[in-house]
Amino acid sequence: RGEYFFIRKQYLDAEDAYGSIIKMGSTSSYYELALYKQGWSLYKQDRYRESLEVFVSILDRELPVGAVENLEATLEVIPRAQRELVRDVLRVVALAFSQIGGGPALTEFLGEREPRSYEPVLYANLAELFIDKERINDAAAAFYGLAERSQTPPDSAACHKD
């Protein structure tokens, strides 16, 4: 049902349909997909903060505990399907933060939660998105947010795509 509604751009109905699968719990073979698509359903309704809650929960599930700051090194240790999911979730997380205030919004969001080892990757992806769009001041603000939150200097490899 969720896919039926999502394809027809009936995102509120899709959100509800995916929610019914999520309520079944992680024992459902569709749980992960339902989380992912519910996040996208929220994003498509311009409910960026709510979508971020869902997408961050996916990253919490999929990235290894103690994930390193360098995304590529982290992704090497997880299965390919999981790797593609993580890459796409990181992309939509950057898009969502670009909609709600960029680096300062990311810093505020993270400040309301327990620290995560992959925070530098979130900042780096957001900065890269802004660089690709030639929004250099916004990219600088994202890197500044990373420097503010980080107790140690960021790994330069985390801040650049190959």
Side-chain angles (χ1 to χ4, degrees), residues 121-148:
V121 173
L122 298 179
Y123 282 102
N125 278 355
L126 179 59
E128 288 295 329
L129 173 72
F130 287 139
I131 289 169
D132 290 346
K133 294 182 179 218
E134 298 182 6
R135 294 173 54 183
I136 304 306
N137 289 338
D138 291 327
F143 284 128
Y144 180 76
L146 171 59
E148 276 188 321

PDB file of all heavy atoms in Angstrom, residues 121-148:
ATOM      1  N   VAL A 121      30.802  13.053   9.280  1.00  0.00           N
ATOM      2  CA  VAL A 121      30.346  12.694   7.935  1.00  0.00           C
ATOM      3  C   VAL A 121      29.110  13.516   7.565  1.00  0.00           C
ATOM      4  O   VAL A 121      28.969  13.948   6.419  1.00  0.00           O
ATOM      5  CB  VAL A 121      30.061  11.176   7.854  1.00  0.00           C
ATOM      6  CG1 VAL A 121      29.423  10.803   6.534  1.00  0.00           C
ATOM      7  CG2 VAL A 121      31.349  10.392   8.062  1.00  0.00           C
ATOM      8  N   LEU A 122      28.218  13.756   8.522  1.00  0.00           N
ATOM      9  CA  LEU A 122      27.032  14.569   8.245  1.00  0.00           C
ATOM     10  C   LEU A 122      27.439  15.979   7.836  1.00  0.00           C
ATOM     11  O   LEU A 122      26.906  16.538   6.867  1.00  0.00           O
ATOM     12  CB  LEU A 122      26.111  14.613   9.464  1.00  0.00           C
ATOM     13  CG  LEU A 122      25.532  13.289   9.939  1.00  0.00           C
ATOM     14  CD1 LEU A 122      24.667  13.499  11.180  1.00  0.00           C
ATOM     15  CD2 LEU A 122      24.754  12.603   8.838  1.00  0.00           C
ATOM     16  N   TYR A 123      28.376  16.562   8.582  1.00  0.00           N
ATOM     17  CA  TYR A 123      28.854  17.911   8.246  1.00  0.00           C
ATOM     18  C   TYR A 123      29.557  17.923   6.886  1.00  0.00           C
ATOM     19  O   TYR A 123      29.334  18.833   6.078  1.00  0.00           O
ATOM     20  CB  TYR A 123      29.815  18.422   9.328  1.00  0.00           C
ATOM     21  CG  TYR A 123      29.140  18.923  10.561  1.00  0.00           C
ATOM     22  CD1 TYR A 123      29.096  18.145  11.718  1.00  0.00           C
ATOM     23  CD2 TYR A 123      28.543  20.187  10.595  1.00  0.00           C
ATOM     24  CE1 TYR A 123      28.480  18.617  12.872  1.00  0.00           C
ATOM     25  CE2 TYR A 123      27.925  20.656  11.739  1.00  0.00           C
ATOM     26  CZ  TYR A 123      27.894  19.872  12.875  1.00  0.00           C
ATOM     27  OH  TYR A 123      27.291  20.337  14.012  1.00  0.00           O
ATOM     28  N   ALA A 124      30.406  16.939   6.648  1.00  0.00           N
ATOM     29  CA  ALA A 124      31.152  16.895   5.389  1.00  0.00           C
ATOM     30  C   ALA A 124      30.214  16.742   4.193  1.00  0.00           C
ATOM     31  O   ALA A 124      30.390  17.418   3.173  1.00  0.00           O
ATOM     32  CB  ALA A 124      32.165  15.754   5.415  1.00  0.00           C
ATOM     33  N   ASN A 125      29.207  15.891   4.320  1.00  0.00           N
ATOM     34  CA  ASN A 125      28.258  15.714   3.217  1.00  0.00           C
ATOM     35  C   ASN A 125      27.468  16.989   2.955  1.00  0.00           C
ATOM     36  O   ASN A 125      27.208  17.349   1.806  1.00  0.00           O
ATOM     37  CB  ASN A 125      27.302  14.558   3.502  1.00  0.00           C
ATOM     38  CG  ASN A 125      27.905  13.224   3.177  1.00  0.00           C
ATOM     39  OD1 ASN A 125      29.004  13.133   2.658  1.00  0.00           O
ATOM     40  ND2 ASN A 125      27.186  12.177   3.488  1.00  0.00           N
ATOM     41  N   LEU A 126      27.063  17.672   4.028  1.00  0.00           N
ATOM     42  CA  LEU A 126      26.338  18.929   3.867  1.00  0.00           C
ATOM     43  C   LEU A 126      27.231  19.968   3.194  1.00  0.00           C
ATOM     44  O   LEU A 126      26.808  20.644   2.253  1.00  0.00           O
ATOM     45  CB  LEU A 126      25.846  19.427   5.228  1.00  0.00           C
ATOM     46  CG  LEU A 126      25.081  20.744   5.216  1.00  0.00           C
ATOM     47  CD1 LEU A 126      23.839  20.659   4.328  1.00  0.00           C
ATOM     48  CD2 LEU A 126      24.711  21.139   6.640  1.00  0.00           C
ATOM     49  N   ALA A 127      28.469  20.074   3.641  1.00  0.00           N
ATOM     50  CA  ALA A 127      29.398  21.026   3.034  1.00  0.00           C
ATOM     51  C   ALA A 127      29.626  20.707   1.564  1.00  0.00           C
ATOM     52  O   ALA A 127      29.645  21.614   0.716  1.00  0.00           O
ATOM     53  CB  ALA A 127      30.716  21.035   3.798  1.00  0.00           C
ATOM     54  N   GLU A 128      29.790  19.431   1.233  1.00  0.00           N
ATOM     55  CA  GLU A 128      29.991  19.027  -0.161  1.00  0.00           C
ATOM     56  C   GLU A 128      28.771  19.382  -1.022  1.00  0.00           C
ATOM     57  O   GLU A 128      28.919  19.808  -2.167  1.00  0.00           O
ATOM     58  CB  GLU A 128      30.296  17.539  -0.259  1.00  0.00           C
ATOM     59  CG  GLU A 128      31.669  17.160   0.234  1.00  0.00           C
ATOM     60  CD  GLU A 128      32.806  17.732  -0.601  1.00  0.00           C
ATOM     61  OE1 GLU A 128      32.633  17.919  -1.827  1.00  0.00           O
ATOM     62  OE2 GLU A 128      33.871  17.987  -0.021  1.00  0.00           O
ATOM     63  N   LEU A 129      27.585  19.210  -0.471  1.00  0.00           N
ATOM     64  CA  LEU A 129      26.370  19.597  -1.194  1.00  0.00           C
ATOM     65  C   LEU A 129      26.409  21.087  -1.516  1.00  0.00           C
ATOM     66  O   LEU A 129      26.130  21.500  -2.645  1.00  0.00           O
ATOM     67  CB  LEU A 129      25.122  19.258  -0.369  1.00  0.00           C
ATOM     68  CG  LEU A 129      23.797  19.757  -0.939  1.00  0.00           C
ATOM     69  CD1 LEU A 129      23.399  18.957  -2.177  1.00  0.00           C
ATOM     70  CD2 LEU A 129      22.702  19.681   0.123  1.00  0.00           C
ATOM     71  N   PHE A 130      26.771  21.892  -0.525  1.00  0.00           N
ATOM     72  CA  PHE A 130      26.843  23.336  -0.741  1.00  0.00           C
ATOM     73  C   PHE A 130      27.955  23.704  -1.722  1.00  0.00           C
ATOM     74  O   PHE A 130      27.778  24.595  -2.560  1.00  0.00           O
ATOM     75  CB  PHE A 130      27.034  24.072   0.591  1.00  0.00           C
ATOM     76  CG  PHE A 130      25.801  24.103   1.449  1.00  0.00           C
ATOM     77  CD1 PHE A 130      25.892  23.915   2.816  1.00  0.00           C
ATOM     78  CD2 PHE A 130      24.547  24.332   0.901  1.00  0.00           C
ATOM     79  CE1 PHE A 130      24.768  23.967   3.624  1.00  0.00           C
ATOM     80  CE2 PHE A 130      23.411  24.372   1.694  1.00  0.00           C
ATOM     81  CZ  PHE A 130      23.517  24.193   3.057  1.00  0.00           C
ATOM     82  N   ILE A 131      29.074  23.023  -1.648  1.00  0.00           N
ATOM     83  CA  ILE A 131      30.159  23.289  -2.599  1.00  0.00           C
ATOM     84  C   ILE A 131      29.701  22.967  -4.019  1.00  0.00           C
ATOM     85  O   ILE A 131      29.934  23.746  -4.946  1.00  0.00           O
ATOM     86  CB  ILE A 131      31.437  22.498  -2.221  1.00  0.00           C
ATOM     87  CG1 ILE A 131      32.051  23.094  -0.953  1.00  0.00           C
ATOM     88  CG2 ILE A 131      32.439  22.486  -3.371  1.00  0.00           C
ATOM     89  CD1 ILE A 131      33.150  22.246  -0.330  1.00  0.00           C
ATOM     90  N   ASP A 132      29.025  21.837  -4.187  1.00  0.00           N
ATOM     91  CA  ASP A 132      28.518  21.460  -5.511  1.00  0.00           C
ATOM     92  C   ASP A 132      27.549  22.499  -6.062  1.00  0.00           C
ATOM     93  O   ASP A 132      27.465  22.693  -7.274  1.00  0.00           O
ATOM     94  CB  ASP A 132      27.829  20.093  -5.465  1.00  0.00           C
ATOM     95  CG  ASP A 132      28.809  18.949  -5.258  1.00  0.00           C
ATOM     96  OD1 ASP A 132      30.041  19.157  -5.418  1.00  0.00           O
ATOM     97  OD2 ASP A 132      28.347  17.840  -4.914  1.00  0.00           O
ATOM     98  N   LYS A 133      26.824  23.166  -5.165  1.00  0.00           N
ATOM     99  CA  LYS A 133      25.859  24.193  -5.583  1.00  0.00           C
ATOM    100  C   LYS A 133      26.481  25.588  -5.587  1.00  0.00           C
ATOM    101  O   LYS A 133      25.768  26.575  -5.735  1.00  0.00           O
ATOM    102  CB  LYS A 133      24.639  24.164  -4.664  1.00  0.00           C
ATOM    103  CG  LYS A 133      23.841  22.890  -4.798  1.00  0.00           C
ATOM    104  CD  LYS A 133      22.615  22.907  -3.926  1.00  0.00           C
ATOM    105  CE  LYS A 133      21.849  21.619  -4.134  1.00  0.00           C
ATOM    106  NZ  LYS A 133      20.429  21.801  -4.115  1.00  0.00           N
ATOM    107  N   GLU A 134      27.806  25.626  -5.371  1.00  0.00           N
ATOM    108  CA  GLU A 134      28.564  26.871  -5.329  1.00  0.00           C
ATOM    109  C   GLU A 134      28.057  27.822  -4.250  1.00  0.00           C
ATOM    110  O   GLU A 134      28.079  29.039  -4.406  1.00  0.00           O
ATOM    111  CB  GLU A 134      28.587  27.534  -6.713  1.00  0.00           C
ATOM    112  CG  GLU A 134      29.266  26.660  -7.745  1.00  0.00           C
ATOM    113  CD  GLU A 134      29.358  27.292  -9.117  1.00  0.00           C
ATOM    114  OE1 GLU A 134      29.000  28.472  -9.285  1.00  0.00           O
ATOM    115  OE2 GLU A 134      29.803  26.577 -10.033  1.00  0.00           O
ATOM    116  N   ARG A 135      27.632  27.254  -3.143  1.00  0.00           N
ATOM    117  CA  ARG A 135      27.200  28.028  -1.974  1.00  0.00           C
ATOM    118  C   ARG A 135      28.336  27.937  -0.942  1.00  0.00           C
ATOM    119  O   ARG A 135      28.239  27.264   0.062  1.00  0.00           O
ATOM    120  CB  ARG A 135      25.888  27.478  -1.430  1.00  0.00           C
ATOM    121  CG  ARG A 135      24.725  27.669  -2.388  1.00  0.00           C
ATOM    122  CD  ARG A 135      23.456  26.990  -1.942  1.00  0.00           C
ATOM    123  NE  ARG A 135      23.039  27.363  -0.591  1.00  0.00           N
ATOM    124  CZ  ARG A 135      21.974  26.826   0.013  1.00  0.00           C
ATOM    125  NH1 ARG A 135      21.232  25.922  -0.598  1.00  0.00           N
ATOM    126  NH2 ARG A 135      21.662  27.205   1.239  1.00  0.00           N
ATOM    127  N   ILE A 136      29.396  28.647  -1.252  1.00  0.00           N
ATOM    128  CA  ILE A 136      30.639  28.531  -0.496  1.00  0.00           C
ATOM    129  C   ILE A 136      30.479  29.000   0.949  1.00  0.00           C
ATOM    130  O   ILE A 136      31.006  28.364   1.870  1.00  0.00           O
ATOM    131  CB  ILE A 136      31.781  29.295  -1.208  1.00  0.00           C
ATOM    132  CG1 ILE A 136      31.934  28.792  -2.658  1.00  0.00           C
ATOM    133  CG2 ILE A 136      33.092  29.170  -0.442  1.00  0.00           C
ATOM    134  CD1 ILE A 136      32.109  27.296  -2.805  1.00  0.00           C
ATOM    135  N   ASN A 137      29.759  30.080   1.180  1.00  0.00           N
ATOM    136  CA  ASN A 137      29.566  30.555   2.549  1.00  0.00           C
ATOM    137  C   ASN A 137      28.807  29.519   3.385  1.00  0.00           C
ATOM    138  O   ASN A 137      29.114  29.325   4.565  1.00  0.00           O
ATOM    139  CB  ASN A 137      28.828  31.894   2.574  1.00  0.00           C
ATOM    140  CG  ASN A 137      29.694  33.030   2.074  1.00  0.00           C
ATOM    141  OD1 ASN A 137      30.922  32.953   2.086  1.00  0.00           O
ATOM    142  ND2 ASN A 137      29.050  34.103   1.636  1.00  0.00           N
ATOM    143  N   ASP A 138      27.822  28.871   2.778  1.00  0.00           N
ATOM    144  CA  ASP A 138      27.077  27.836   3.491  1.00  0.00           C
ATOM    145  C   ASP A 138      27.960  26.622   3.768  1.00  0.00           C
ATOM    146  O   ASP A 138      27.858  25.998   4.833  1.00  0.00           O
ATOM    147  CB  ASP A 138      25.834  27.417   2.693  1.00  0.00           C
ATOM    148  CG  ASP A 138      24.779  28.513   2.649  1.00  0.00           C
ATOM    149  OD1 ASP A 138      24.657  29.273   3.629  1.00  0.00           O
ATOM    150  OD2 ASP A 138      24.065  28.593   1.630  1.00  0.00           O
ATOM    151  N   ALA A 139      28.835  26.291   2.822  1.00  0.00           N
ATOM    152  CA  ALA A 139      29.774  25.187   3.037  1.00  0.00           C
ATOM    153  C   ALA A 139      30.714  25.517   4.191  1.00  0.00           C
ATOM    154  O   ALA A 139      30.970  24.677   5.063  1.00  0.00           O
ATOM    155  CB  ALA A 139      30.570  24.901   1.766  1.00  0.00           C
ATOM    156  N   ALA A 140      31.190  26.749   4.212  1.00  0.00           N
ATOM    157  CA  ALA A 140      32.079  27.171   5.298  1.00  0.00           C
ATOM    158  C   ALA A 140      31.358  27.098   6.640  1.00  0.00           C
ATOM    159  O   ALA A 140      31.943  26.668   7.644  1.00  0.00           O
ATOM    160  CB  ALA A 140      32.592  28.586   5.042  1.00  0.00           C
ATOM    161  N   ALA A 141      30.082  27.474   6.665  1.00  0.00           N
ATOM    162  CA  ALA A 141      29.304  27.412   7.905  1.00  0.00           C
ATOM    163  C   ALA A 141      29.155  25.965   8.377  1.00  0.00           C
ATOM    164  O   ALA A 141      29.187  25.691   9.587  1.00  0.00           O
ATOM    165  CB  ALA A 141      27.937  28.063   7.707  1.00  0.00           C
ATOM    166  N   ALA A 142      29.007  25.051   7.442  1.00  0.00           N
ATOM    167  CA  ALA A 142      28.910  23.633   7.812  1.00  0.00           C
ATOM    168  C   ALA A 142      30.229  23.152   8.418  1.00  0.00           C
ATOM    169  O   ALA A 142      30.235  22.484   9.461  1.00  0.00           O
ATOM    170  CB  ALA A 142      28.532  22.783   6.606  1.00  0.00           C
ATOM    171  N   PHE A 143      31.351  23.502   7.787  1.00  0.00           N
ATOM    172  CA  PHE A 143      32.647  23.108   8.333  1.00  0.00           C
ATOM    173  C   PHE A 143      32.900  23.774   9.691  1.00  0.00           C
ATOM    174  O   PHE A 143      33.485  23.176  10.589  1.00  0.00           O
ATOM    175  CB  PHE A 143      33.780  23.433   7.364  1.00  0.00           C
ATOM    176  CG  PHE A 143      33.876  22.476   6.205  1.00  0.00           C
ATOM    177  CD1 PHE A 143      33.905  22.938   4.902  1.00  0.00           C
ATOM    178  CD2 PHE A 143      33.954  21.110   6.424  1.00  0.00           C
ATOM    179  CE1 PHE A 143      34.009  22.047   3.830  1.00  0.00           C
ATOM    180  CE2 PHE A 143      34.060  20.215   5.368  1.00  0.00           C
ATOM    181  CZ  PHE A 143      34.078  20.696   4.065  1.00  0.00           C
ATOM    182  N   TYR A 144      32.430  24.994   9.839  1.00  0.00           N
ATOM    183  CA  TYR A 144      32.565  25.690  11.119  1.00  0.00           C
ATOM    184  C   TYR A 144      31.785  24.941  12.202  1.00  0.00           C
ATOM    185  O   TYR A 144      32.263  24.782  13.325  1.00  0.00           O
ATOM    186  CB  TYR A 144      32.078  27.137  10.998  1.00  0.00           C
ATOM    187  CG  TYR A 144      32.204  27.904  12.283  1.00  0.00           C
ATOM    188  CD1 TYR A 144      33.437  28.377  12.718  1.00  0.00           C
ATOM    189  CD2 TYR A 144      31.091  28.152  13.085  1.00  0.00           C
ATOM    190  CE1 TYR A 144      33.567  29.070  13.905  1.00  0.00           C
ATOM    191  CE2 TYR A 144      31.212  28.847  14.275  1.00  0.00           C
ATOM    192  CZ  TYR A 144      32.439  29.304  14.679  1.00  0.00           C
ATOM    193  OH  TYR A 144      32.566  29.982  15.860  1.00  0.00           O
ATOM    194  N   GLY A 145      30.581  24.472  11.864  1.00  0.00           N
ATOM    195  CA  GLY A 145      29.786  23.697  12.813  1.00  0.00           C
ATOM    196  C   GLY A 145      30.509  22.435  13.249  1.00  0.00           C
ATOM    197  O   GLY A 145      30.482  22.063  14.426  1.00  0.00           O
ATOM    198  N   LEU A 146      31.157  21.782  12.302  1.00  0.00           N
ATOM    199  CA  LEU A 146      31.942  20.590  12.621  1.00  0.00           C
ATOM    200  C   LEU A 146      33.057  20.944  13.595  1.00  0.00           C
ATOM    201  O   LEU A 146      33.264  20.259  14.598  1.00  0.00           O
ATOM    202  CB  LEU A 146      32.527  19.977  11.345  1.00  0.00           C
ATOM    203  CG  LEU A 146      33.550  18.857  11.533  1.00  0.00           C
ATOM    204  CD1 LEU A 146      32.965  17.692  12.304  1.00  0.00           C
ATOM    205  CD2 LEU A 146      34.070  18.402  10.175  1.00  0.00           C
ATOM    206  N   ALA A 147      33.758  22.031  13.324  1.00  0.00           N
ATOM    207  CA  ALA A 147      34.860  22.448  14.204  1.00  0.00           C
ATOM    208  C   ALA A 147      34.343  22.787  15.597  1.00  0.00           C
ATOM    209  O   ALA A 147      34.992  22.467  16.602  1.00  0.00           O
ATOM    210  CB  ALA A 147      35.587  23.641  13.597  1.00  0.00           C
ATOM    211  N   GLU A 148      33.162  23.412  15.674  1.00  0.00           N
ATOM    212  CA  GLU A 148      32.576  23.760  16.966  1.00  0.00           C
ATOM    213  C   GLU A 148      32.234  22.525  17.792  1.00  0.00           C
ATOM    214  O   GLU A 148      32.442  22.500  18.994  1.00  0.00           O
ATOM    215  CB  GLU A 148      31.289  24.568  16.771  1.00  0.00           C
ATOM    216  CG  GLU A 148      31.485  26.031  16.566  1.00  0.00           C
ATOM    217  CD  GLU A 148      30.140  26.750  16.595  1.00  0.00           C
ATOM    218  OE1 GLU A 148      29.141  26.232  16.071  1.00  0.00           O
ATOM    219  OE2 GLU A 148      30.110  27.842  17.167  1.00  0.00           O
TER     220      GLU A 148
END
